[in-house]
Amino acid sequence: MSPRASDEPVRLTRIYTRGGDTGETSLGDGSRVPKTDPRVVAYGVVDELNSQLGLALAADPPAGLRALLERIQNELFDLGADLCVPFAPGDGRLRIEQEQIDDLERLCDDWNARLEPLTSFVLPGGSELAGRLHVARTVCRRAEIAALGAESLGVNPLALVYLNRLSDLLFILARSANLGREEPLWKPGASR
């Protein structure tokens, strides 16, 4: 087998390793931890979020949104790499950086500027794409909570901020996916 190229992040020749059969797994630094370790839970929920974005992409979003979601999927792999290695400032590892958060905030502002101001809480739903983005938003919130649960073990504080901003962006993108149709809004007490 030829050596791995420098731009090739991993090479998997066999998917199963049997290394996790006893309920442990390896973190990115090689240390072994139980699969119930809060860091493993956190990057597992980030993986679930990434899969939800894959479902949103399967709903055939417009080209600009497609490119954005694909970029976010790649950043979520970066985030998972960040979460799977205990954090130490300046350790040279792949980490979420302030520029990525700044970009999410810019995207929130840009996409939100296209929307009408909210007059009520939005119910998840509307178009298929909007519904899938709402599910991704809620999984993103759960990923943030899971990452907070790992904070005492050494988590990049910017990873937490990134997840918080990303859930805001996913809410805005879900609303954007309903442009041109009536947005489902909460009607307090409507069932009484």
Side-chain angles (χ1 to χ4, degrees):
M1 175 161 52
S2 62
R4 189 173 78 189
S6 61
D7 64 345
E8 185 180 23
V10 297
R11 179 176 295 174
L12 300 174
T13 56
R14 187 177 65 188
I15 300 304
Y16 67 91
T17 64
R18 298 186 179 116
D21 291 353
T22 61
E24 288 189 341
T25 191
S26 295
L27 293 178
D29 64 355
S31 60
R32 299 287 292 171
V33 296
K35 289 183 177 184
T36 56
D37 183 284
R39 292 167 293 204
V40 176
V41 173
Y43 67 73
V45 181
V46 169
D47 186 36
E48 181 184 352
L49 168 59
N50 210 335
S51 297
Q52 291 293 343
L53 291 180
L55 278 173
L57 284 163
D60 200 26
L65 180 53
R66 171 173 290 284
L68 175 56
L69 294 177
E70 288 171 348
R71 189 187 96 202
I72 291 169
Q73 279 193 304
N74 197 70
E75 286 183 358
L76 288 174
F77 260 85
D78 293 349
L79 176 62
D82 188 336
L83 291 172
C84 83
V85 178
F87 179 70
D91 61 7
R93 298 287 192 153
L94 181 60
R95 301 290 183 194
I96 294 297
E97 298 177 351
Q98 183 63 47
E99 294 78 26
Q100 291 167 290
I101 295 163
D102 294 342
D103 191 49
L104 287 178
E105 290 177 355
R106 181 191 58 75
L107 288 163
C108 283
D109 293 340
D110 290 351
W111 284 83
N112 197 50
R114 307 171 194 183
L115 301 172
E116 293 295 321
L118 283 173
T119 58
S120 179
F121 288 107
V122 174
L123 297 175
S127 70
E128 180 180 354
L129 177 58
R132 290 179 183 198
L133 288 168
H134 276 295
V135 171
R137 169 188 60 81
T138 62
V139 173
C140 188
R141 289 282 187 211
R142 189 159 37 88
E144 179 187 5
I145 292 166
L148 281 165
E151 195 171 22
S152 66
L153 300 171
V155 171
N156 177 1
L158 292 178
L160 302 171
V161 177
Y162 180 90
L163 286 165
N164 188 277
R165 288 309 172 284
L166 180 57
S167 63
D168 294 334
L169 178 59
L170 291 171
F171 173 76
I172 292 165
L173 295 177
R175 289 193 67 212
S176 296
N178 279 327
L179 279 175
R181 65 172 35 216
E182 189 172 336
E183 194 166 30
L185 299 175
W186 177 43
K187 297 172 183 72
S191 62
R192 293 186 191 160

mmCIF file of all heavy atoms in Angstrom, residues 104-157:
data_model
loop_
_atom_site.group_PDB
_atom_site.id
_atom_site.type_symbol
_atom_site.label_atom_id
_atom_site.label_comp_id
_atom_site.label_asym_id
_atom_site.label_seq_id
_atom_site.Cartn_x
_atom_site.Cartn_y
_atom_site.Cartn_z
ATOM 1 N N LEU A 104 -20.190 33.178 10.278
ATOM 2 C CA LEU A 104 -21.565 32.744 10.562
ATOM 3 C C LEU A 104 -22.446 33.941 10.903
ATOM 4 O O LEU A 104 -23.598 34.014 10.468
ATOM 5 C CB LEU A 104 -21.593 31.734 11.707
ATOM 6 C CG LEU A 104 -21.075 30.332 11.406
ATOM 7 C CD1 LEU A 104 -21.125 29.477 12.668
ATOM 8 C CD2 LEU A 104 -21.853 29.677 10.280
ATOM 9 N N GLU A 105 -21.912 34.893 11.666
ATOM 10 C CA GLU A 105 -22.691 36.088 12.011
ATOM 11 C C GLU A 105 -23.005 36.915 10.768
ATOM 12 O O GLU A 105 -24.116 37.408 10.609
ATOM 13 C CB GLU A 105 -21.947 36.915 13.061
ATOM 14 C CG GLU A 105 -21.923 36.226 14.409
ATOM 15 C CD GLU A 105 -21.122 36.973 15.465
ATOM 16 O OE1 GLU A 105 -20.478 38.009 15.145
ATOM 17 O OE2 GLU A 105 -21.127 36.508 16.623
ATOM 18 N N ARG A 106 -22.016 37.034 9.868
ATOM 19 C CA ARG A 106 -22.255 37.760 8.615
ATOM 20 C C ARG A 106 -23.327 37.058 7.791
ATOM 21 O O ARG A 106 -24.235 37.695 7.242
ATOM 22 C CB ARG A 106 -20.956 37.868 7.809
ATOM 23 C CG ARG A 106 -21.108 38.643 6.493
ATOM 24 C CD ARG A 106 -19.883 38.504 5.606
ATOM 25 N NE ARG A 106 -19.552 37.126 5.259
ATOM 26 C CZ ARG A 106 -20.220 36.384 4.374
ATOM 27 N NH1 ARG A 106 -21.279 36.859 3.751
ATOM 28 N NH2 ARG A 106 -19.840 35.145 4.105
ATOM 29 N N LEU A 107 -23.262 35.739 7.734
ATOM 30 C CA LEU A 107 -24.271 34.976 6.997
ATOM 31 C C LEU A 107 -25.652 35.138 7.626
ATOM 32 O O LEU A 107 -26.650 35.285 6.907
ATOM 33 C CB LEU A 107 -23.883 33.498 6.944
ATOM 34 C CG LEU A 107 -22.715 33.157 6.019
ATOM 35 C CD1 LEU A 107 -22.160 31.775 6.349
ATOM 36 C CD2 LEU A 107 -23.144 33.251 4.560
ATOM 37 N N CYS A 108 -25.716 35.119 8.950
ATOM 38 C CA CYS A 108 -26.999 35.355 9.634
ATOM 39 C C CYS A 108 -27.578 36.697 9.211
ATOM 40 O O CYS A 108 -28.764 36.798 8.864
ATOM 41 C CB CYS A 108 -26.825 35.324 11.155
ATOM 42 S SG CYS A 108 -26.658 33.692 11.880
ATOM 43 N N ASP A 109 -26.751 37.724 9.249
ATOM 44 C CA ASP A 109 -27.220 39.074 8.886
ATOM 45 C C ASP A 109 -27.662 39.134 7.426
ATOM 46 O O ASP A 109 -28.723 39.695 7.117
ATOM 47 C CB ASP A 109 -26.124 40.107 9.154
ATOM 48 C CG ASP A 109 -25.823 40.283 10.631
ATOM 49 O OD1 ASP A 109 -26.671 39.911 11.478
ATOM 50 O OD2 ASP A 109 -24.730 40.793 10.941
ATOM 51 N N ASP A 110 -26.861 38.562 6.533
ATOM 52 C CA ASP A 110 -27.188 38.594 5.102
ATOM 53 C C ASP A 110 -28.493 37.861 4.795
ATOM 54 O O ASP A 110 -29.357 38.382 4.086
ATOM 55 C CB ASP A 110 -26.059 37.977 4.272
ATOM 56 C CG ASP A 110 -24.797 38.823 4.242
ATOM 57 O OD1 ASP A 110 -24.825 39.981 4.710
ATOM 58 O OD2 ASP A 110 -23.761 38.310 3.772
ATOM 59 N N TRP A 111 -28.633 36.638 5.296
ATOM 60 C CA TRP A 111 -29.825 35.849 5.007
ATOM 61 C C TRP A 111 -31.048 36.405 5.724
ATOM 62 O O TRP A 111 -32.157 36.378 5.175
ATOM 63 C CB TRP A 111 -29.609 34.380 5.364
ATOM 64 C CG TRP A 111 -28.757 33.653 4.365
ATOM 65 C CD1 TRP A 111 -27.396 33.630 4.302
ATOM 66 C CD2 TRP A 111 -29.211 32.872 3.259
ATOM 67 N NE1 TRP A 111 -26.972 32.871 3.235
ATOM 68 C CE2 TRP A 111 -28.069 32.388 2.583
ATOM 69 C CE3 TRP A 111 -30.472 32.505 2.785
ATOM 70 C CZ2 TRP A 111 -28.151 31.577 1.456
ATOM 71 C CZ3 TRP A 111 -30.556 31.692 1.663
ATOM 72 C CH2 TRP A 111 -29.410 31.245 1.000
ATOM 73 N N ASN A 112 -30.870 36.925 6.927
ATOM 74 C CA ASN A 112 -32.011 37.465 7.673
ATOM 75 C C ASN A 112 -32.539 38.750 7.047
ATOM 76 O O ASN A 112 -33.736 39.047 7.142
ATOM 77 C CB ASN A 112 -31.625 37.700 9.137
ATOM 78 C CG ASN A 112 -32.828 37.844 10.021
ATOM 79 O OD1 ASN A 112 -33.743 37.029 9.985
ATOM 80 N ND2 ASN A 112 -32.839 38.897 10.828
ATOM 81 N N ALA A 113 -31.662 39.510 6.389
ATOM 82 C CA ALA A 113 -32.081 40.768 5.747
ATOM 83 C C ALA A 113 -33.107 40.515 4.636
ATOM 84 O O ALA A 113 -33.872 41.412 4.288
ATOM 85 C CB ALA A 113 -30.862 41.499 5.187
ATOM 86 N N ARG A 114 -33.177 39.312 4.108
ATOM 87 C CA ARG A 114 -34.119 38.959 3.037
ATOM 88 C C ARG A 114 -35.501 38.594 3.571
ATOM 89 O O ARG A 114 -36.423 38.387 2.789
ATOM 90 C CB ARG A 114 -33.578 37.766 2.254
ATOM 91 C CG ARG A 114 -32.177 37.939 1.747
ATOM 92 C CD ARG A 114 -31.624 36.641 1.183
ATOM 93 N NE ARG A 114 -30.189 36.745 1.012
ATOM 94 C CZ ARG A 114 -29.431 35.812 0.493
ATOM 95 N NH1 ARG A 114 -29.971 34.679 0.093
ATOM 96 N NH2 ARG A 114 -28.145 35.979 0.378
ATOM 97 N N LEU A 115 -35.617 38.475 4.896
ATOM 98 C CA LEU A 115 -36.854 37.971 5.509
ATOM 99 C C LEU A 115 -37.662 39.102 6.129
ATOM 100 O O LEU A 115 -37.117 40.120 6.542
ATOM 101 C CB LEU A 115 -36.512 36.951 6.599
ATOM 102 C CG LEU A 115 -35.716 35.731 6.148
ATOM 103 C CD1 LEU A 115 -35.281 34.919 7.363
ATOM 104 C CD2 LEU A 115 -36.524 34.880 5.184
ATOM 105 N N GLU A 116 -38.967 38.866 6.228
ATOM 106 C CA GLU A 116 -39.833 39.789 6.954
ATOM 107 C C GLU A 116 -39.538 39.659 8.444
ATOM 108 O O GLU A 116 -39.224 38.566 8.926
ATOM 109 C CB GLU A 116 -41.310 39.457 6.688
ATOM 110 C CG GLU A 116 -41.760 39.697 5.265
ATOM 111 C CD GLU A 116 -41.719 41.174 4.889
ATOM 112 O OE1 GLU A 116 -42.073 42.022 5.748
ATOM 113 O OE2 GLU A 116 -41.317 41.470 3.757
ATOM 114 N N PRO A 117 -39.671 40.757 9.195
ATOM 115 C CA PRO A 117 -39.482 40.649 10.648
ATOM 116 C C PRO A 117 -40.497 39.671 11.245
ATOM 117 O O PRO A 117 -41.620 39.543 10.755
ATOM 118 C CB PRO A 117 -39.737 42.070 11.154
ATOM 119 C CG PRO A 117 -39.557 42.953 9.953
ATOM 120 C CD PRO A 117 -39.943 42.122 8.765
ATOM 121 N N LEU A 118 -40.097 38.993 12.305
ATOM 122 C CA LEU A 118 -40.982 38.034 12.964
ATOM 123 C C LEU A 118 -42.053 38.751 13.770
ATOM 124 O O LEU A 118 -41.772 39.745 14.439
ATOM 125 C CB LEU A 118 -40.180 37.125 13.889
ATOM 126 C CG LEU A 118 -39.396 36.021 13.208
ATOM 127 C CD1 LEU A 118 -38.513 35.290 14.214
ATOM 128 C CD2 LEU A 118 -40.330 35.042 12.538
ATOM 129 N N THR A 119 -43.265 38.234 13.694
ATOM 130 C CA THR A 119 -44.377 38.762 14.502
ATOM 131 C C THR A 119 -44.899 37.701 15.465
ATOM 132 O O THR A 119 -45.809 37.967 16.237
ATOM 133 C CB THR A 119 -45.527 39.226 13.581
ATOM 134 O OG1 THR A 119 -45.953 38.111 12.792
ATOM 135 C CG2 THR A 119 -45.074 40.368 12.679
ATOM 136 N N SER A 120 -44.337 36.496 15.368
ATOM 137 C CA SER A 120 -44.727 35.386 16.218
ATOM 138 C C SER A 120 -43.594 34.370 16.186
ATOM 139 O O SER A 120 -42.674 34.496 15.371
ATOM 140 C CB SER A 120 -46.020 34.742 15.712
ATOM 141 O OG SER A 120 -46.378 33.650 16.534
ATOM 142 N N PHE A 121 -43.666 33.375 17.046
ATOM 143 C CA PHE A 121 -42.716 32.276 16.951
ATOM 144 C C PHE A 121 -43.057 31.444 15.725
ATOM 145 O O PHE A 121 -44.225 31.310 15.353
ATOM 146 C CB PHE A 121 -42.756 31.412 18.207
ATOM 147 C CG PHE A 121 -42.148 32.081 19.406
ATOM 148 C CD1 PHE A 121 -42.945 32.548 20.430
ATOM 149 C CD2 PHE A 121 -40.771 32.253 19.498
ATOM 150 C CE1 PHE A 121 -42.394 33.167 21.532
ATOM 151 C CE2 PHE A 121 -40.210 32.877 20.594
ATOM 152 C CZ PHE A 121 -41.022 33.337 21.618
ATOM 153 N N VAL A 122 -42.029 30.896 15.099
ATOM 154 C CA VAL A 122 -42.196 30.097 13.890
ATOM 155 C C VAL A 122 -42.336 28.626 14.288
ATOM 156 O O VAL A 122 -41.561 28.119 15.098
ATOM 157 C CB VAL A 122 -40.980 30.276 12.962
ATOM 158 C CG1 VAL A 122 -41.060 29.345 11.763
ATOM 159 C CG2 VAL A 122 -40.859 31.719 12.517
ATOM 160 N N LEU A 123 -43.336 27.972 13.722
ATOM 161 C CA LEU A 123 -43.471 26.531 13.907
ATOM 162 C C LEU A 123 -42.569 25.821 12.904
ATOM 163 O O LEU A 123 -42.477 26.233 11.746
ATOM 164 C CB LEU A 123 -44.916 26.098 13.687
ATOM 165 C CG LEU A 123 -45.955 26.678 14.650
ATOM 166 C CD1 LEU A 123 -47.354 26.250 14.234
ATOM 167 C CD2 LEU A 123 -45.653 26.260 16.073
ATOM 168 N N PRO A 124 -41.889 24.754 13.317
ATOM 169 C CA PRO A 124 -41.063 24.013 12.367
ATOM 170 C C PRO A 124 -41.938 23.428 11.258
ATOM 171 O O PRO A 124 -42.955 22.806 11.532
ATOM 172 C CB PRO A 124 -40.443 22.904 13.222
ATOM 173 C CG PRO A 124 -40.550 23.388 14.627
ATOM 174 C CD PRO A 124 -41.796 24.227 14.672
ATOM 175 N N GLY A 125 -41.556 23.658 10.038
ATOM 176 C CA GLY A 125 -42.315 23.105 8.918
ATOM 177 C C GLY A 125 -42.388 24.060 7.758
ATOM 178 O O GLY A 125 -41.562 24.935 7.592
ATOM 179 N N GLY A 126 -43.415 23.866 6.959
ATOM 180 C CA GLY A 126 -43.561 24.609 5.718
ATOM 181 C C GLY A 126 -43.128 23.711 4.590
ATOM 182 O O GLY A 126 -43.679 22.633 4.389
ATOM 183 N N SER A 127 -42.097 24.109 3.882
ATOM 184 C CA SER A 127 -41.582 23.268 2.802
ATOM 185 C C SER A 127 -40.784 22.103 3.385
ATOM 186 O O SER A 127 -40.380 22.113 4.553
ATOM 187 C CB SER A 127 -40.681 24.097 1.878
ATOM 188 O OG SER A 127 -39.471 24.425 2.544
ATOM 189 N N GLU A 128 -40.539 21.097 2.561
ATOM 190 C CA GLU A 128 -39.727 19.960 3.002
ATOM 191 C C GLU A 128 -38.336 20.424 3.429
ATOM 192 O O GLU A 128 -37.813 20.000 4.468
ATOM 193 C CB GLU A 128 -39.620 18.924 1.887
ATOM 194 C CG GLU A 128 -38.782 17.720 2.276
ATOM 195 C CD GLU A 128 -38.683 16.691 1.165
ATOM 196 O OE1 GLU A 128 -39.337 16.828 0.124
ATOM 197 O OE2 GLU A 128 -37.926 15.722 1.368
ATOM 198 N N LEU A 129 -37.737 21.296 2.642
ATOM 199 C CA LEU A 129 -36.409 21.798 2.975
ATOM 200 C C LEU A 129 -36.433 22.552 4.299
ATOM 201 O O LEU A 129 -35.549 22.354 5.139
ATOM 202 C CB LEU A 129 -35.886 22.699 1.846
ATOM 203 C CG LEU A 129 -34.529 23.358 2.096
ATOM 204 C CD1 LEU A 129 -33.445 22.315 2.355
ATOM 205 C CD2 LEU A 129 -34.164 24.256 0.910
ATOM 206 N N ALA A 130 -37.436 23.393 4.499
ATOM 207 C CA ALA A 130 -37.532 24.136 5.763
ATOM 208 C C ALA A 130 -37.652 23.175 6.939
ATOM 209 O O ALA A 130 -36.980 23.348 7.969
ATOM 210 C CB ALA A 130 -38.719 25.088 5.732
ATOM 211 N N GLY A 131 -38.489 22.152 6.808
ATOM 212 C CA GLY A 131 -38.646 21.177 7.876
ATOM 213 C C GLY A 131 -37.337 20.475 8.195
ATOM 214 O O GLY A 131 -36.987 20.284 9.370
ATOM 215 N N ARG A 132 -36.594 20.107 7.168
ATOM 216 C CA ARG A 132 -35.315 19.427 7.397
ATOM 217 C C ARG A 132 -34.302 20.359 8.054
ATOM 218 O O ARG A 132 -33.511 19.940 8.898
ATOM 219 C CB ARG A 132 -34.783 18.870 6.076
ATOM 220 C CG ARG A 132 -35.597 17.700 5.574
ATOM 221 C CD ARG A 132 -35.089 17.177 4.256
ATOM 222 N NE ARG A 132 -35.957 16.100 3.781
ATOM 223 C CZ ARG A 132 -35.614 15.232 2.857
ATOM 224 N NH1 ARG A 132 -34.421 15.306 2.297
ATOM 225 N NH2 ARG A 132 -36.453 14.297 2.485
ATOM 226 N N LEU A 133 -34.320 21.626 7.671
ATOM 227 C CA LEU A 133 -33.408 22.591 8.298
ATOM 228 C C LEU A 133 -33.796 22.852 9.750
ATOM 229 O O LEU A 133 -32.928 23.066 10.598
ATOM 230 C CB LEU A 133 -33.372 23.893 7.489
ATOM 231 C CG LEU A 133 -32.633 23.778 6.157
ATOM 232 C CD1 LEU A 133 -32.895 25.010 5.288
ATOM 233 C CD2 LEU A 133 -31.137 23.573 6.378
ATOM 234 N N HIS A 134 -35.093 22.831 10.043
ATOM 235 C CA HIS A 134 -35.521 22.973 11.442
ATOM 236 C C HIS A 134 -35.049 21.785 12.283
ATOM 237 O O HIS A 134 -34.622 21.960 13.431
ATOM 238 C CB HIS A 134 -37.042 23.129 11.547
ATOM 239 C CG HIS A 134 -37.516 24.525 11.354
ATOM 240 N ND1 HIS A 134 -37.204 25.552 12.226
ATOM 241 C CD2 HIS A 134 -38.305 25.080 10.397
ATOM 242 C CE1 HIS A 134 -37.775 26.679 11.820
ATOM 243 N NE2 HIS A 134 -38.440 26.417 10.704
ATOM 244 N N VAL A 135 -35.117 20.586 11.729
ATOM 245 C CA VAL A 135 -34.607 19.422 12.458
ATOM 246 C C VAL A 135 -33.103 19.587 12.686
ATOM 247 O O VAL A 135 -32.598 19.357 13.795
ATOM 248 C CB VAL A 135 -34.930 18.106 11.724
ATOM 249 C CG1 VAL A 135 -34.213 16.934 12.380
ATOM 250 C CG2 VAL A 135 -36.433 17.859 11.698
ATOM 251 N N ALA A 136 -32.376 20.024 11.668
ATOM 252 C CA ALA A 136 -30.935 20.261 11.817
ATOM 253 C C ALA A 136 -30.679 21.308 12.905
ATOM 254 O O ALA A 136 -29.756 21.161 13.714
ATOM 255 C CB ALA A 136 -30.335 20.705 10.488
ATOM 256 N N ARG A 137 -31.502 22.336 12.953
ATOM 257 C CA ARG A 137 -31.352 23.385 13.978
ATOM 258 C C ARG A 137 -31.490 22.800 15.370
ATOM 259 O O ARG A 137 -30.692 23.105 16.259
ATOM 260 C CB ARG A 137 -32.397 24.481 13.748
ATOM 261 C CG ARG A 137 -32.518 25.485 14.874
ATOM 262 C CD ARG A 137 -33.704 26.426 14.671
ATOM 263 N NE ARG A 137 -34.992 25.764 14.597
ATOM 264 C CZ ARG A 137 -35.696 25.351 15.654
ATOM 265 N NH1 ARG A 137 -35.215 25.482 16.873
ATOM 266 N NH2 ARG A 137 -36.887 24.785 15.487
ATOM 267 N N THR A 138 -32.477 21.937 15.573
ATOM 268 C CA THR A 138 -32.678 21.379 16.912
ATOM 269 C C THR A 138 -31.548 20.410 17.274
ATOM 270 O O THR A 138 -31.131 20.360 18.435
ATOM 271 C CB THR A 138 -34.050 20.692 17.043
ATOM 272 O OG1 THR A 138 -34.139 19.593 16.136
ATOM 273 C CG2 THR A 138 -35.178 21.664 16.784
ATOM 274 N N VAL A 139 -31.035 19.674 16.310
ATOM 275 C CA VAL A 139 -29.897 18.795 16.578
ATOM 276 C C VAL A 139 -28.666 19.642 16.891
ATOM 277 O O VAL A 139 -27.854 19.289 17.754
ATOM 278 C CB VAL A 139 -29.653 17.821 15.404
ATOM 279 C CG1 VAL A 139 -28.374 17.018 15.602
ATOM 280 C CG2 VAL A 139 -30.847 16.886 15.246
ATOM 281 N N CYS A 140 -28.540 20.783 16.230
ATOM 282 C CA CYS A 140 -27.426 21.692 16.509
ATOM 283 C C CYS A 140 -27.491 22.186 17.949
ATOM 284 O O CYS A 140 -26.470 22.254 18.642
ATOM 285 C CB CYS A 140 -27.443 22.864 15.527
ATOM 286 S SG CYS A 140 -25.978 23.915 15.629
ATOM 287 N N ARG A 141 -28.678 22.523 18.428
ATOM 288 C CA ARG A 141 -28.841 22.947 19.829
ATOM 289 C C ARG A 141 -28.439 21.806 20.768
ATOM 290 O O ARG A 141 -27.787 22.033 21.788
ATOM 291 C CB ARG A 141 -30.281 23.361 20.112
ATOM 292 C CG ARG A 141 -30.689 24.655 19.464
ATOM 293 C CD ARG A 141 -30.146 25.846 20.215
ATOM 294 N NE ARG A 141 -30.705 27.065 19.664
ATOM 295 C CZ ARG A 141 -30.069 28.223 19.643
ATOM 296 N NH1 ARG A 141 -28.863 28.326 20.155
ATOM 297 N NH2 ARG A 141 -30.643 29.284 19.131
ATOM 298 N N ARG A 142 -28.801 20.582 20.418
ATOM 299 C CA ARG A 142 -28.428 19.437 21.249
ATOM 300 C C ARG A 142 -26.921 19.218 21.225
ATOM 301 O O ARG A 142 -26.312 18.868 22.240
ATOM 302 C CB ARG A 142 -29.180 18.182 20.794
ATOM 303 C CG ARG A 142 -29.004 17.023 21.741
ATOM 304 C CD ARG A 142 -30.084 15.958 21.624
ATOM 305 N NE ARG A 142 -30.560 15.694 20.292
ATOM 306 C CZ ARG A 142 -30.019 14.819 19.450
ATOM 307 N NH1 ARG A 142 -28.958 14.129 19.809
ATOM 308 N NH2 ARG A 142 -30.544 14.613 18.259
ATOM 309 N N ALA A 143 -26.286 19.448 20.072
ATOM 310 C CA ALA A 143 -24.826 19.337 19.979
ATOM 311 C C ALA A 143 -24.159 20.370 20.880
ATOM 312 O O ALA A 143 -23.153 20.081 21.544
ATOM 313 C CB ALA A 143 -24.374 19.512 18.533
ATOM 314 N N GLU A 144 -24.724 21.573 20.902
ATOM 315 C CA GLU A 144 -24.175 22.612 21.773
ATOM 316 C C GLU A 144 -24.277 22.187 23.237
ATOM 317 O O GLU A 144 -23.322 22.332 24.011
ATOM 318 C CB GLU A 144 -24.921 23.928 21.547
ATOM 319 C CG GLU A 144 -24.434 25.057 22.417
ATOM 320 C CD GLU A 144 -25.274 26.311 22.303
ATOM 321 O OE1 GLU A 144 -26.316 26.313 21.614
ATOM 322 O OE2 GLU A 144 -24.895 27.317 22.940
ATOM 323 N N ILE A 145 -25.412 21.652 23.637
ATOM 324 C CA ILE A 145 -25.602 21.200 25.017
ATOM 325 C C ILE A 145 -24.636 20.058 25.333
ATOM 326 O O ILE A 145 -24.026 20.010 26.412
ATOM 327 C CB ILE A 145 -27.071 20.790 25.253
ATOM 328 C CG1 ILE A 145 -27.961 22.034 25.186
ATOM 329 C CG2 ILE A 145 -27.243 20.064 26.581
ATOM 330 C CD1 ILE A 145 -29.441 21.730 25.066
ATOM 331 N N ALA A 146 -24.458 19.129 24.392
ATOM 332 C CA ALA A 146 -23.526 18.021 24.603
ATOM 333 C C ALA A 146 -22.097 18.541 24.747
ATOM 334 O O ALA A 146 -21.339 18.073 25.607
ATOM 335 C CB ALA A 146 -23.629 17.017 23.450
ATOM 336 N N ALA A 147 -21.716 19.512 23.917
ATOM 337 C CA ALA A 147 -20.371 20.086 24.016
ATOM 338 C C ALA A 147 -20.189 20.818 25.341
ATOM 339 O O ALA A 147 -19.113 20.758 25.946
ATOM 340 C CB ALA A 147 -20.107 21.005 22.832
ATOM 341 N N LEU A 148 -21.237 21.477 25.806
ATOM 342 C CA LEU A 148 -21.165 22.117 27.125
ATOM 343 C C LEU A 148 -20.940 21.079 28.218
ATOM 344 O O LEU A 148 -20.234 21.339 29.193
ATOM 345 C CB LEU A 148 -22.444 22.911 27.406
ATOM 346 C CG LEU A 148 -22.541 24.276 26.734
ATOM 347 C CD1 LEU A 148 -23.972 24.792 26.793
ATOM 348 C CD2 LEU A 148 -21.582 25.261 27.383
ATOM 349 N N GLY A 149 -21.516 19.905 28.052
ATOM 350 C CA GLY A 149 -21.326 18.829 29.013
ATOM 351 C C GLY A 149 -19.897 18.305 29.042
ATOM 352 O O GLY A 149 -19.485 17.674 30.006
ATOM 353 N N ALA A 150 -19.140 18.566 28.002
ATOM 354 C CA ALA A 150 -17.742 18.134 27.937
ATOM 355 C C ALA A 150 -16.775 19.253 28.304
ATOM 356 O O ALA A 150 -15.561 19.044 28.325
ATOM 357 C CB ALA A 150 -17.438 17.632 26.524
ATOM 358 N N GLU A 151 -17.305 20.417 28.602
ATOM 359 C CA GLU A 151 -16.472 21.605 28.826
ATOM 360 C C GLU A 151 -15.402 21.392 29.895
ATOM 361 O O GLU A 151 -14.255 21.826 29.738
ATOM 362 C CB GLU A 151 -17.377 22.785 29.196
ATOM 363 C CG GLU A 151 -16.728 24.127 29.107
ATOM 364 C CD GLU A 151 -17.732 25.254 29.281
ATOM 365 O OE1 GLU A 151 -18.818 25.033 29.857
ATOM 366 O OE2 GLU A 151 -17.406 26.356 28.850
ATOM 367 N N SER A 152 -15.731 20.697 30.965
ATOM 368 C CA SER A 152 -14.771 20.494 32.057
ATOM 369 C C SER A 152 -13.609 19.583 31.649
ATOM 370 O O SER A 152 -12.584 19.531 32.331
ATOM 371 C CB SER A 152 -15.473 19.924 33.290
ATOM 372 O OG SER A 152 -15.947 18.628 33.019
ATOM 373 N N LEU A 153 -13.753 18.872 30.526
ATOM 374 C CA LEU A 153 -12.708 17.966 30.045
ATOM 375 C C LEU A 153 -11.771 18.639 29.055
ATOM 376 O O LEU A 153 -10.862 18.002 28.537
ATOM 377 C CB LEU A 153 -13.344 16.730 29.405
ATOM 378 C CG LEU A 153 -14.223 15.902 30.334
ATOM 379 C CD1 LEU A 153 -14.974 14.842 29.557
ATOM 380 C CD2 LEU A 153 -13.386 15.288 31.436
ATOM 381 N N GLY A 154 -12.026 19.903 28.763
ATOM 382 C CA GLY A 154 -11.176 20.628 27.833
ATOM 383 C C GLY A 154 -11.774 20.730 26.454
ATOM 384 O O GLY A 154 -11.486 19.911 25.591
ATOM 385 N N VAL A 155 -12.625 21.715 26.276
ATOM 386 C CA VAL A 155 -13.276 21.956 24.982
ATOM 387 C C VAL A 155 -12.935 23.376 24.542
ATOM 388 O O VAL A 155 -12.958 24.304 25.347
ATOM 389 C CB VAL A 155 -14.810 21.781 25.104
ATOM 390 C CG1 VAL A 155 -15.520 22.232 23.842
ATOM 391 C CG2 VAL A 155 -15.155 20.328 25.400
ATOM 392 N N ASN A 156 -12.636 23.522 23.286
ATOM 393 C CA ASN A 156 -12.377 24.838 22.716
ATOM 394 C C ASN A 156 -13.607 25.717 22.946
ATOM 395 O O ASN A 156 -14.694 25.399 22.445
ATOM 396 C CB ASN A 156 -12.088 24.682 21.216
ATOM 397 C CG ASN A 156 -11.871 25.990 20.495
ATOM 398 O OD1 ASN A 156 -11.900 27.065 21.070
ATOM 399 N ND2 ASN A 156 -11.662 25.882 19.189
ATOM 400 N N PRO A 157 -13.494 26.826 23.680
ATOM 401 C CA PRO A 157 -14.667 27.670 23.921
ATOM 402 C C PRO A 157 -15.293 28.198 22.628
ATOM 403 O O PRO A 157 -16.501 28.421 22.570
ATOM 404 C CB PRO A 157 -14.147 28.812 24.795
ATOM 405 C CG PRO A 157 -12.693 28.616 24.949
ATOM 406 C CD PRO A 157 -12.291 27.319 24.335
#
